[in-house]
Amino acid sequence: MVTKTDRFRALHHGRVPGDPLVLPGPWDAASARVFAEAGFPALATPSAGVAASLGYEDGATPADEMFAAVARIARAVDVPVSADVEDGYGLAPKELVERLLEAGAVGCNLEDSANGVLKDPREHAEWLAEVRAAAGDRLFVNARIDTFVRGVDDPGAAIERAALYVGAGADCVYPIFAPTGVLPLLRAGIQGPVNVGAVPGEGPSPAELGGLGATRITFGPGLQRRATRALREIAAELTEQTGPTEPTEPTE
């Protein structure tokens, strides 16, 4: 039987330049339904977007609340859902895999830095190998590479980490914040699918990023932030139409 994870993994392969897999990032069940109804074949939750929807700063969401949010999103749609679970919340690989599967996720993003500091790449690769061993083929593992976001601009450092992570069993790597100009170099040096982040309505289009080497496109919290801006505009219109309402004093 073909599982959702099988379907999700297959979406990453056989793609041609200019036709990357575009994965919108839902932050709650309602946004997930909107993206699924629009015809996207799969979704990928953003940790920062989910954090904002729950009232937390990025990186401050308790693990239980993040997994609960992912579960609500996965239950709301029929398409595969991958989950950004940051650096794994300190969970042992077996428990991390179990919690992802319980939430209904078919994959996960896992970062290689914690508290703003890059992890040792070989130690992180060993940890990823343990995650892969615990998951088998039940999860698609997207290994985020944080070199660029942590100030290491040498593409070679990202390529070296990618090789270690792919060797450990990662299905895809994500050199977050990699400059557009180095994408062809990264593509040439990395085996397997490459995730690239895009900004909604700004910069190169998903098709253009695909032409530069992206296998799949995600948006981080960009879609949630754009929706928040739209909501602010609606709130401003309402205020202009009705005027601010002052709270009334309770009566005896």
Side-chain angles (χ1 to χ4, degrees):
M1 183 181 73
V2 177
T3 66
K4 279 188 177 181
T5 306
D6 294 331
R7 286 163 48 199
F8 186 68
R9 185 172 281 112
L11 289 169
H12 292 75
H13 297 283
R15 311 204 72 88
V16 298
D19 181 33
L21 173 62
V22 178
L23 297 174
W27 53 94
D28 60 14
S31 59
R33 290 193 184 104
V34 169
F35 295 135
E37 290 167 1
F40 291 98
L43 307 174
T45 69
S47 62
V50 173
S53 75
L54 296 174
Y56 293 101
E57 295 295 323
D58 184 21
T61 309
D64 288 349
E65 294 198 44
M66 183 63 76
F67 286 113
V70 170
R72 288 191 293 271
I73 290 168
R75 284 197 304 267
V77 295
D78 292 328
V79 299
V81 175
S82 183
D84 183 345
V85 288
E86 304 180 79
D87 66 350
Y89 306 112
L91 299 173
K94 184 174 184 297
E95 183 180 358
L96 176 62
V97 168
E98 289 174 351
R99 298 200 67 173
L100 283 162
L101 294 173
E102 287 171 0
V106 302
C108 59
N109 271 24
L110 294 170
E111 305 169 4
D112 68 350
S113 65
N115 301 316
V117 178
L118 285 167
K119 297 180 179 180
D120 178 273
R122 287 174 175 75
E123 291 179 2
H124 187 63
E126 291 174 0
W127 182 77
L128 288 174
E130 293 179 32
V131 172
R132 169 54 67 209
D137 61 0
R138 297 177 296 170
L139 287 175
F140 184 98
V141 177
N142 186 34
R144 203 178 91 173
I145 298 171
D146 287 0
T147 50
F148 293 104
V149 76
R150 302 302 175 203
V152 180
D153 297 328
D154 177 13
I159 292 171
E160 290 175 5
R161 285 176 179 256
L164 289 169
Y165 302 163
V166 171
D171 297 282
C172 182
V173 295
Y174 179 16
I176 189 170
F177 290 0
T180 303
V182 305
L183 292 181
L185 179 61
L186 295 177
R187 174 66 284 170
I190 294 174
Q191 298 296 314
V194 176
N195 189 144
V196 173
V199 179
E202 299 178 22
S205 68
E208 289 169 333
L209 291 171
L212 292 171
T215 309
R216 79 181 212 178
I217 304 295
T218 53
F219 302 92
L223 296 171
Q224 183 270 333
R225 290 173 180 170
R226 186 168 178 176
T228 298
R229 288 196 297 271
L231 192 57
R232 287 197 182 100
E233 292 175 2
I234 294 171
E237 290 175 6
L238 291 174
T239 301
E240 290 174 1
Q241 294 169 4
T242 64
T245 302
E246 295 295 334
T248 58
E249 292 294 331
T251 57
E252 292 295 335

